[in-house]
RNA sequence: GCGGCUGUGGCGGAAUUGGCAGACGCGCUAGAUUUAGGAUCUAGUGCCCAACGGGCGUGGAGGUUCGAGUCCUCUCAGCCGCACCA
């Protein structure tokens, strides 16, 4: 190591050489390579700790300062855990498939594989500069065939399974569970044996009472459909955001409010398209319930719960008035072709709705269908046809965002048809309105304008009846700002005026300013009158059930996952499509299905609102797309999987990254899972984490993984923000783009020094007045903003590392504030941490001679030095355990300050301190450890343990308060009891004088803290 | 609109969970030092006042308590998520 000699000669803290040296050392010695239990030499007696970072998407811009925030934190924890005797798995890889690479490829005519490879190299180089203790031998990239072979394999498992939601089983962890992913063969066997059948829509029917069709009577295509209707991965036609110009489906987030594509501003249309779907909703309950046992931030759990959006209520059937009548409580079919007294699951010519408020059924005065509802065409009367069709056509082309824009007024059309309210036999009009979404519930609602704000708005707009069926609480009725104008003066305390209010509500609920949507007491509901909302819900549902027109139901906001993209740079689907519409999964031995080499990734543009949908780019790879098998022609699927696919299981691949047979060997999986700590940004709070949990549960059901949940503990790092300026118009610009307006109107750009003062908010007042944005000359104010390319305030870690070193960078980011808080980057603060590292360096090294400092002494440390050390060990350890890394570093500062005061540095104190420093500034600590005479890395040295008796001072200062205000301080023994404390406090001269002429009422003593004297 | 989070000096942030508000760092002030180094060391640094004393201070207003940054009620501001979910 020639570099060391030079360092010794100069003796200064030369971070460049030290960091290069130790990074080389770690690499050469494979210091952080960790073994799997079956590997030769593995020590399975140690406890395991699996720490995972959210792996990055390698974009062209390279790493920014936000990435390493979480990575530094996990690295510190990993280094700490190793020293605490854990086998630590700490891997890193790249989420390498995705749209940006493809867009870049189209614009610059390069292959996404090439740019991705180059970007990965940049990222890897940058990540290595930080000295992270990753086991690089486990690196993966999701775009490599070795990797996506298994992504395809997992997809096949979903294609080959279905969710048996009634199967009761005990999972390997001993939990009683209902519902499980099961091989599709078991479903087919049940069909074949005649145990199960299907309904008219080829959906599964288990009981034999319900009218159903049997397997033997189904055509080949129908059988395939019946099975497809259950598969976890299936093909279905769904309404999507189709952008003809871009030639792809867009996510809702990629569509602007005026129905155009975010990228390119092209028109976007709602189109029903055949897409791969994953049946994630079957896991809704488990995705919800299993959150309870996870050590995640509550807000994230809440976001996931809201996303799943489970609600309970009832499905209710509203028969069409032209086809059904009620005679003597029995349903009578008017068309003659339907069975009288139909069963719930087979009630022809009726509208099924979902409601969370079956108790308000008597208040349902009209119905609304979503414009896309399949019954719309059937029920419109001839005279309404034109108007309805125009409305439906309009709604069809609106994006979801457009339709749900909040300020929008209610629109709709009457169909001319009526339905029968099953609770009272009354005929109610059926309307069509886009405030009802096809994607939720049944796509149809019963409207209760008396107790639903949206229905009320609609009813008022179209002059529909409003019937109150829930009497609000007195408290609600009595609110002044809600009461009708003519009842403003009543005395709400009297029972008589409450009666007036109730009568007024009964007569015209719309005269109250707000709609009552809460729980109350049923009115106008015949035999259910007087029941509480909760009771009424159950009773009405039971009543409906007994008449086969309703049943309890559960609904989710969660939608099935649209899983295909019309793009090149993603995982191909491992399936073949036959000419007759059959889709088969490939055999495992045929994986991976590699992407064909191509050089043109452009979508085929289509003009305007055409129904034709062009082929995805993969369609141009003609030879690849066609496969001959068993004498028949098959076609590959031309779609690819979305970017989420690879990240749904990467944490499993890290466990066994080079296994070419299976995605992850079971023994290793059982050893390492679940992940003990998962750190990443809150932007993945819902989608990635939900999708990955879903895949994991499928793998768990099928016996491929051993834990119900992948990520036991989750931690969200906060965003690194930037100081910026906001102009009076609201534009945000970086400090560098500011200037001072001179008297002649010209603008002088801010100097670096002035920028600093701007950031610190302490520019001289006359400068603040002249502060303007350079380009527009508009006045600005200081704000904290997101770092963004357009703001030109992105800080590149490379330059900071070059200037101050990786150890300083790591320390600075950890010292900025709490890990989970958003905080602004301030380069000005970096030198403070650089100074800390220099001071730590000088605790050991004499800067001039380069030898160990003469103050470093081999004598027994003083009590004071020991107290300092053990206090520091205690603090650092406790803060590390809680991921409070900012205050842990504050403890390091305190130690160095303390040592500076003490002068001499006993080796017995300095050595453990170097170990405490090592997770934070590993290069520095390794170098000092070597200079202290140790021959090998400190990465596996035991973590220092503090001795409580040494950490404590014998004496402690206690505050003495009078009436809660500190008036004096006394010094007492740490263990002094309450009585002693009180005595010493009362004896204090100052306290004595302040108590002159006052009566002591009470004395509160908190041991070791304070004495509070209550006196007047 | 609904839900969540956050408001503490000139700046970033501490505060043992109801017990001395402002740890630690940045910046600033003064001094020492010279090995002129992205130095170091010492002292100071919340605000106000008639200044070895006193008053006020954790977005604002109330409240509970011997005692509140911390708990309760109301309120303001900022950020994030969802958004016609029946």
């Amino acid at each position: 190591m020639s570099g060391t000699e030079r360092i010794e000669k100069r003796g200064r803290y030369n971070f460049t050489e030290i960091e290069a040296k130790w990074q080389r050392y770690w690499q050469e010695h494979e210091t952080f390579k960790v073994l799997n239990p079956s590997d030769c030499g593995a020590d399975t007696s140690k406890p395991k700790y699996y720490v995972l970072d959210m792996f990055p998407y390698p974009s062209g811009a390279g790493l920014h300062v936000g990435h390493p925030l979480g990575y530094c934190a996990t690295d510190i924890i990993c280094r700490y855990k190793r020293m605490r005797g854990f086998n630590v798995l700490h891997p890193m890889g790249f989420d390498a498939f995705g749209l940006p690479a493809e867009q870049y490829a189209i614009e610059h005519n390069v292959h996404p594989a090439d740019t991705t490879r180059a970007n990965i190299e940049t990222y890897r180089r940058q990540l290595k500069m930080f000295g992270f203790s990753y086991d690089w031998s486990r690196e993966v990239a999701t775009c490599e065939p070795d990797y996506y072979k298994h992504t395809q394999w997992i997809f096949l498992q979903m294609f080959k399974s279905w969710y048996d939601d009634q199967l009761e089983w005990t999972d390997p962890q001993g939990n009683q569970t209902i519902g499980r992913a099961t091989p599709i063969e078991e479903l087919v066997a049940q069909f074949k044996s005649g145990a199960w059948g299907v309904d008219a829509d080829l959906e599964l029917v288990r009981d034999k009472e319900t009218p159903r069709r049997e397997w033997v009577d189904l055509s080949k295509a129908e059988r395939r459909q019946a099975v497809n209707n259950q598969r976890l991965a299936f093909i279905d036609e769904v309404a999507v955001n189709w952008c003809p110009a871009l030639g792809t489906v867009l996510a809702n987030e990629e569509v602007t409010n005026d129905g155009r594509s975010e990228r390119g501003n092209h028109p976007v249309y709602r189109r029903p398209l055949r897409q791969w779907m994953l049946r994630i909703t079957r896991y809704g309950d488990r995705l919800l319930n299993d959150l309870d046992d996870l050590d995640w931030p509550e807000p994230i759990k809440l976001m996931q719960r809201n996303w799943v959006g489970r609600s309970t209520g009832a499905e209710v059937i509203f028969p069409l008035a032209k086809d059904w009548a009620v005679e003597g409580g029995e349903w009578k079919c008017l068309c003659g072709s339907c069975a009288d007294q139909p069963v719930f699951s087979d009630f022809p010519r009726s509208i099924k709705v979902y409601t969370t408020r079956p108790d308000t059924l008597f208040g349902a005065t009209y119905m609304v269908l979503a414009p896309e509802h399949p019954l719309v065409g059937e029920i419109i009367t001839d005279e309404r046809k034109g108007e309805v069709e125009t409305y439906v056509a309009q709604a069809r082309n609106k994006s979801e965002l457009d339709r749900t824009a909040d300020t929008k007024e209610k629109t709709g059309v009457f169909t001319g048809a009526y339905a029968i309210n099953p609770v009272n036999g009354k005929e109610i009009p059926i309307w069509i309105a886009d405030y009802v979404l096809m994607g939720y519930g049944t796509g149809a609602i019963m409207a209760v304008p008396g107790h639903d704000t949206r229905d009320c708005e609609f009813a008022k707009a179209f002059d529909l009846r409003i019937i109150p069926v829930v009497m609000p609480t007195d408290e609600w009725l009595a609110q002044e700002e809600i009461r009708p104008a003519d009842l403003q003066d009543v005395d709400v305390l009297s029972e008589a005026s409450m009666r007036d209010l109730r009568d007024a509500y009964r007569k015209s609920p719309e005269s109250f300013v707000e709609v009552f949507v809460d729980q109350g007491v049923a009115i106008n509901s015949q035999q259910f009158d007087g029941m509480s909302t909760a009771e009424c819900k159950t009773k009405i549902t039971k009543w409906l059930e007994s008449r086969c027109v309703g049943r309890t139901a559960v609904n989710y906001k969660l939608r099935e996952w649209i899983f295909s993209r019309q793009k090149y740079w993603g995982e191909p689907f491992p399936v073949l499509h036959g000419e007759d519409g059959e889709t088969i999964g490939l055999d495992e031995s045929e994986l991976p299905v590699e992407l064909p080499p191509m050089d043109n990734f452009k979508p085929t543009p289509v003009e305007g609102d055409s129904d034709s949908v062009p082929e995805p780019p993969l369609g141009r790879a003609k030879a690849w797309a066609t496969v001959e098998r068993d004498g028949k022609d098959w076609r590959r699927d031309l779609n690819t999987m979305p970017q989420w696919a690879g990240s749904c299981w990467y944490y499993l691949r890290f466990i066994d990254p080079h296994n070419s047979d299976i995605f992850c060997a079971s023994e290793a999986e059982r050893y390492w899972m679940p992940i003990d700590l998962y750190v990443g940004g809150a932007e993945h709070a819902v989608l990635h984490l939900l999708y990955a949990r879903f895949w994991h549960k499928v793998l768990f059901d099928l016996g491929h993984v051993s834990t119900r949940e992948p990520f036991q503990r989750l931690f969200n790092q906060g965003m690194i923000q930037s100081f910026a300026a906001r102009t009076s118009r609201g534009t945000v610009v970086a400090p560098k783009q500011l200037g001072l307006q001179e008297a002649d109107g010209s603008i002088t750009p801010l100097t670096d020094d002035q920028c600093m003062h701007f950031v610190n908010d302490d520019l001289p007042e006359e400068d603040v007045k002249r502060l303007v944005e350079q380009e527009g000359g508009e006045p600005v104010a200081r704000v904290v903003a997101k770092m963004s390319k357009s703001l030109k305030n992105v800080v590149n870690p490379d330059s900071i590392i070059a200037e101050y070193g990786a150890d300083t960078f790591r320390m600075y980011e950890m010292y900025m504030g709490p890990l989970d808080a958003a905080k602004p980057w301030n380069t000005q603060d970096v030198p403070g941490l650089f100074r800390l590292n220099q001071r730590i360096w000088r605790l050991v090294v004499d800067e001039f001679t380069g030898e160990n400092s003469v103050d470093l002494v081999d004598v027994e440390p003083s009590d004071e030095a020991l107290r300092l050390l053990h206090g520091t060990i205690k603090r650092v350890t406790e803060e590390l355990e809680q991921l409070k890394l900012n205050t842990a570093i504050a403890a390091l500062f305190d130690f160095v300050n303390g040592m500076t005061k003490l002068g001499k540095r006993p080796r017995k104190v300095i050595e453990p301190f170097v170990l405490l420093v090592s997770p934070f500034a590993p290069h520095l600590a390794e170098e000092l450890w070597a200079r202290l005479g140790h021959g090998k890395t400190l990465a596996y040295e035991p973590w220092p343990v503090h001795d409580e008796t040494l950490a404590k001072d014998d004496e402690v200062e206690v505050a003495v308060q009078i009436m809660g205000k500190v008036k004096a301080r006394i010094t007492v023994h740490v263990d002094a009891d309450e009585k002693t404390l009180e005595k010493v406090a009362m004896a204090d001269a100052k306290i004595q004088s302040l108590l002159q002429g006052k009566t002591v009422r009470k004395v509160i003593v908190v041991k070791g803290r304070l004495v509070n004297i209550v006196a007047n």
Side-chain angles (χ1 to χ4, degrees), chain A residues 85-146:
Chain A
F86 287 80
N87 276 334
V88 173
L89 177 55
H90 187 34
M92 180 45 83
F94 301 97
D95 187 14
F97 270 139
L99 204 59
E102 183 154 332
Q103 292 290 349
Y104 189 87
I106 292 168
E107 281 158 31
H108 297 86
N109 205 28
V110 283
H111 198 282
D114 294 335
T115 49
T116 303
R117 201 176 303 119
N119 292 349
I120 286 177
E121 269 163 34
T122 307
Y123 269 59
R124 194 191 296 115
R125 178 186 60 75
Q126 286 185 303
L127 286 167
K128 287 195 173 179
M129 286 188 328
F130 290 95
F132 294 140
S133 61
Y134 292 120
D135 177 353
W136 283 104
S137 73
R138 293 175 185 255
E139 178 188 331
V140 300
T142 55
C143 65
E144 296 295 337
D146 282 350

Side-chain angles (χ1 to χ4, degrees), chain A residues 875-890:
Chain A
R875 280 173 68 190
V876 172
T877 309
E878 283 171 3
E879 316 274 31
L880 271 172
E881 289 288 347
Q882 298 171 59
L883 274 168
K884 289 164 78 174
L885 305 176
N886 53 332
T887 47
I889 293 173

Side-chain angles (χ1 to χ4, degrees), chain A residues 362-403:
Chain A
F362 285 89
T365 53
Y366 65 101
M367 303 193 74
V368 186
L369 303 187
E372 304 88 341
H373 198 283
L375 276 177
V376 168
E378 253 179 73
I379 62 169
I380 26 173
T381 54
D382 290 340
E383 66 266 28
R384 310 286 315 158
K385 208 166 192 145
E387 203 183 326
V388 172
E389 277 170 0
T390 314
Y391 184 80
V392 171
Q394 273 171 9
R396 187 176 107 113
N397 275 336
K398 284 185 200 166
S399 69
E400 188 109 345
L401 266 164
D402 196 11
R403 274 177 56 171

Side-chain angles (χ1 to χ4, degrees), chain A residues 411-424:
Chain A
T411 62
V413 283
F414 178 45
T415 60
Y418 291 83
I420 301 170
N421 187 335
V423 288
N424 54 17

Side-chain angles (χ1 to χ4, degrees), chain A residues 438-511:
Chain A
M438 196 56 220
Y440 184 79
T442 61
I445 61 157
M446 62 174 213
V448 184
H451 302 286
D452 181 286
T453 330
R454 297 149 300 169
D455 295 345
C456 184
E457 277 171 34
F458 191 82
K460 281 181 177 164
F462 295 98
D463 208 18
L464 294 152
R465 278 193 76 191
I466 301 176
I467 302 174
V469 289
V470 182
M471 179 53 68
T473 54
D474 287 358
E475 203 187 357
W476 188 87
L477 287 168
Q479 291 176 88
E480 211 170 302
E481 56 284 10
I482 281 176
R483 271 143 51 190
D486 55 326
L487 287 168
Q488 279 299 318
D489 300 329
V490 299
D491 169 18
V492 292
L493 292 173
S494 79
E495 183 46 37
S497 40
M498 278 319 302
R499 212 175 305 129
D500 289 347
L501 281 168
R502 282 187 220 115
D503 286 347
Y505 186 81
R506 215 177 261 274
K507 217 180 293 162
S508 82
E510 62 271 26
S511 64

Side-chain angles (χ1 to χ4, degrees), chain A residues 315-337:
Chain A
E315 283 179 340
V316 185
I317 283 180
F318 285 70
L320 294 179
K322 70 178 167 62
D323 296 314
W324 295 92
V326 193
E327 274 179 24
E330 301 271 289
W331 291 106
K332 174 82 184 152
C333 172
L334 300 178
C335 73
S337 61

Side-chain angles (χ1 to χ4, degrees), chain A residues 653-798:
Chain A
R653 191 60 180 167
F654 280 141
I655 288 171
D656 196 7
H658 308 298
N659 195 324
S660 52
D661 297 332
I662 62 170
F663 75 106
C664 176
S666 164
E667 189 193 1
E669 187 277 326
R670 282 199 309 271
Y671 180 71
W672 288 113
M673 289 298 288
I675 288 155
D676 299 282
L677 178 63
Y678 192 24
V679 177
E683 66 271 21
H684 294 118
V686 178
L687 295 182
H688 160 62
L689 288 170
L690 198 71
Y691 291 154
R693 291 178 64 217
F694 162 51
W695 278 41
H696 194 85
K697 285 178 184 302
V698 174
L699 291 171
F700 176 69
D701 285 1
L702 297 173
H704 300 300
V705 296
S706 62
T707 64
R708 281 192 297 170
E709 287 282 338
F711 315 120
Q712 187 53 45
R713 181 176 178 204
L714 175 75
F715 194 95
N716 283 120
Q717 87 220 27
M719 202 183 320
I720 293 192
Q721 299 163 313
S722 186
F723 286 110
R726 184 165 21 218
T727 68
S728 46
R729 267 202 325 241
T731 332
V732 178
V733 298
K736 282 181 212 162
Q737 293 164 279
L738 301 179
L740 295 177
Q741 185 126 42
E742 305 298 341
D744 61 0
S746 66
I747 295 167
T748 326
L750 287 194
T751 62
D752 286 355
D753 203 44
Q754 285 170 321
C755 276
M756 191 187 86
H757 286 298
F758 171 79
V759 164
N760 275 345
D761 205 16
D762 58 1
L763 275 174
E765 217 168 289
E766 61 270 23
D767 286 351
V768 173
K769 281 184 200 148
R770 300 191 296 142
L771 199 62
V772 291
E773 176 219 353
Q774 279 173 29
E775 271 179 34
E778 284 193 55
V780 294
R782 175 178 174 274
V783 289
V784 169
K786 218 183 239 185
M787 271 196 191
S788 70
K789 241 186 268 175
S790 60
L791 243 180
K792 294 180 194 150
N793 59 4
V794 178
V795 179
N796 183 325
D798 290 28

Side-chain angles (χ1 to χ4, degrees), chain A residues 83-255:
Chain A
M83 296 172 82
R84 291 301 291 253
F86 287 80
N87 276 334
V88 173
L89 177 55
H90 187 34
M92 180 45 83
F94 301 97
D95 187 14
F97 270 139
L99 204 59
E102 183 154 332
Q103 292 290 349
Y104 189 87
I106 292 168
E107 281 158 31
H108 297 86
N109 205 28
V110 283
H111 198 282
D114 294 335
T115 49
T116 303
R117 201 176 303 119
N119 292 349
I120 286 177
E121 269 163 34
T122 307
Y123 269 59
R124 194 191 296 115
R125 178 186 60 75
Q126 286 185 303
L127 286 167
K128 287 195 173 179
M129 286 188 328
F130 290 95
F132 294 140
S133 61
Y134 292 120
D135 177 353
W136 283 104
S137 73
R138 293 175 185 255
E139 178 188 331
V140 300
T142 55
C143 65
E144 296 295 337
D146 282 350
Y147 183 93
Y148 68 71
K149 168 183 174 179
H150 304 284
T151 312
Q152 292 171 336
W153 179 83
I154 296 171
F155 174 83
L156 276 179
Q157 306 314 302
M158 294 199 239
F159 179 68
K160 292 193 298 190
S161 346
W162 68 295
Y163 195 78
D164 185 346
D165 58 4
Q166 293 182 18
L167 186 77
E168 291 178 33
W169 60 300
T170 308
D171 72 29
Q173 295 179 337
N175 302 292
Q176 291 289 323
T177 310
I178 299 176
R180 178 182 188 173
T182 310
I184 202 79
E185 290 80 14
E186 293 184 25
L187 174 75
V188 176
Q190 296 283 358
F191 277 141
K192 280 186 178 162
S193 73
W196 295 344
V198 293
D199 67 11
D201 297 327
L202 297 168
E203 293 292 340
L204 174 64
V205 176
R206 297 191 195 223
D207 70 276
K208 298 206 169 178
E209 270 82 83
T210 318
R212 66 181 214 185
R213 301 177 66 195
E214 302 300 326
W215 184 257
V216 286
D217 303 325
L218 300 179
S219 71
K220 219 175 155 187
E222 284 174 326
R223 286 179 182 179
R224 277 205 297 265
Q225 190 57 44
V227 174
N228 187 56
N229 282 347
Q230 298 303 315
R231 288 183 195 273
L232 283 176
F234 64 104
I235 294 174
D236 198 11
E237 191 154 284
V238 284
V240 294
N241 300 308
W242 171 251
C243 178
L246 292 175
T248 191
V249 161
L250 296 174
N252 282 338
E253 303 80 59
E254 296 167 316
V255 183

